[in-house]
């Protein structure tokens, strides 16, 4: 009788398997109803939000971090996206960037900030604006009434927290929402007649586009103080001037 040779698939590296197991555990914990994806509230604002493997520090409330992780720009985060992102965070060279003009940054912080700026320059602000609305609406289109799209205050609050409006502008959420509504009135953007505590999409779009443009200009003007070896490490992942 002829023998049969069994070929086993190549084993994944142990670190890869560890990260994959961690991602699986996090999905089971944060997605108990098995939707197959995580939302911004699962990742950043759950009582026990998403974590990286072991001691890898990741700020999941940082807009550039989330933008890098959500490759599909769908506003929700698939298992493949989260797993790939956590793999990167484990494998990426670790070093600290000391910039006299800002608090110290990790190499991951720098990667996400520079990639965020690069993608906005490449794709235009509209890509960021649309993604932020999908993120705030957990992957769903913005609600519509009277042919007017709008975001409810809880969705606007997601934008307020992710862009750290309180930290950068010292505005309370109520003040921020009032400014958006005042802008809508000034520019004659209509509000839906029967919906309270909402902001028309046109006002949200204008604010987010201005934010994205300001972010790119700030990175271009101030940049990051990188040593030649640090720049070479980052250039493996993102184009640098």
């Amino acid at each position: 009788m002829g023998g049969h040779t069994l070929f086993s698939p190549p084993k994944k590296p142990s670190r890869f398997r560890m990260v994959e197991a961690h991602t699986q555990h996090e999905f089971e914990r944060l997605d108990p109803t098995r939707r197959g994806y995580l939302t911004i509230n699962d990742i950043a604002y759950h009582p026990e939000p998403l974590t990286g493997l072991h001691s890898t520090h990741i700020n999941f409330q940082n807009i550039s971090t989330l933008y890098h992780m959500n490759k599909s720009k769908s506003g929700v985060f698939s298992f493949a996206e989260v797993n790939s992102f956590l793999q990167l965070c484990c494998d990426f060279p670790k070093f600290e960037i000391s910039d006299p003009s800002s608090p110290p940054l990790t190499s991951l912080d720098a990667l996400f900030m520079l990639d965020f700026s690069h993608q906005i320059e490449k794709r235009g602000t509209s890509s960021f604006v649309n993604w932020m609305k999908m993120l705030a609406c957990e992957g769903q289109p913005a609600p519509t009434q009277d042919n007017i799209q709008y975001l409810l205050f809880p969705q606007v609050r997601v934008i307020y927290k992710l862009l750290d409006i309180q930290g950068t502008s010292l505005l309370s959420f109520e003040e921020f929402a009032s400014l958006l509504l005042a802008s809508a009135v000034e520019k004659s953007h209509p509000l839906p007649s029967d919906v309270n505590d909402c902001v028309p999409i046109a006002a949200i779009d204008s604010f987010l586009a201005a934010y994205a443009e300001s972010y790119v200009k700030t990175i271009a003007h101030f940049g990051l103080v990188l040593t030649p070896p640090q720049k070479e490490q980052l250039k493996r992942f993102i184009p640098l001037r």
Side-chain angles (χ1 to χ4, degrees):
M1 293 179 61
H4 293 280
T5 304
L6 299 179
F7 292 95
S8 300
K11 291 184 177 181
K12 297 175 182 176
S14 59
R15 183 191 288 268
F16 184 97
R17 294 198 304 271
M18 287 174 60
V19 174
E20 192 173 55
H22 176 78
T23 306
Q24 185 66 47
H25 174 268
E26 291 295 271
F27 258 75
E28 290 173 357
R29 181 174 67 83
L30 295 169
D31 179 27
T33 59
R34 301 297 186 269
R35 296 165 306 189
Y37 60 83
L38 300 180
T39 69
I40 181 59
N41 288 305
D42 300 324
I43 286 174
Y45 303 115
H46 189 276
E48 295 183 20
L50 182 67
T51 64
L53 187 66
H54 300 323
S55 60
T56 305
H57 173 71
I58 308 167
N59 182 2
F60 287 110
Q61 294 183 13
N62 181 279
I63 195 67
S64 62
T65 301
L66 295 165
Y67 192 84
H68 192 92
M69 179 162 59
N70 195 197
K71 297 295 188 186
S72 66
K73 302 298 180 279
S74 64
V76 294
F77 301 80
S78 68
F79 179 90
E81 286 178 322
V82 175
N83 185 57
S84 177
F85 179 81
L86 295 182
Q87 295 284 352
L88 168 66
C89 291
C90 274
D91 296 339
F92 194 73
K94 305 297 191 297
F95 53 84
E96 190 172 276
I97 299 168
S98 297
D99 189 330
S101 63
S102 66
L105 297 171
T106 68
S107 52
L108 282 170
D109 292 332
L111 172 68
F112 302 147
M113 288 172 60
L114 292 169
D115 184 51
F116 182 45
S117 178
H118 172 71
Q119 291 299 327
I120 291 173
E121 284 189 292
K122 180 180 175 181
R123 300 182 179 195
T125 58
S126 61
S127 175
F128 167 72
V129 170
N130 292 334
W131 173 71
M132 278 295 294
K133 291 183 293 187
M134 294 291 284
L135 197 66
C137 296
E138 299 190 342
Q140 300 299 315
T144 303
Q145 185 169 314
D146 304 329
N147 292 319
I148 301 167
Q149 276 195 308
Y150 60 90
L151 293 187
L152 294 168
F153 274 15
Q155 296 163 334
V156 178
R157 190 180 292 275
V158 171
I159 294 171
Y160 171 81
K161 290 192 290 186
L162 283 178
L163 301 187
D164 191 24
I165 302 300
Q166 184 175 35
T168 56
S169 303
L170 302 179
L171 293 174
S172 68
F173 173 72
E174 290 73 20
E175 291 169 328
F176 175 62
S178 293
L179 285 174
L180 289 176
L181 287 169
S183 172
V185 170
E186 180 183 346
K187 296 176 181 178
S188 301
H189 298 318
L191 282 163
S193 56
D194 297 325
V195 182
N196 296 320
D197 297 334
C198 70
V199 176
I201 279 293
I204 298 288
D205 287 354
S206 297
F207 169 76
L208 290 175
Y211 174 90
E213 289 171 1
S214 175
Y215 192 102
V216 171
K217 288 178 182 177
T218 300
I219 292 294
H221 181 72
F222 292 103
L224 293 175
V225 180
L226 300 171
T227 66
Q230 290 172 346
K231 183 173 284 191
E232 286 304 312
Q233 293 277 25
L234 289 172
K235 282 172 70 173
R236 293 166 48 203
F237 296 87
I238 177 175
L240 289 178
R241 295 183 180 89

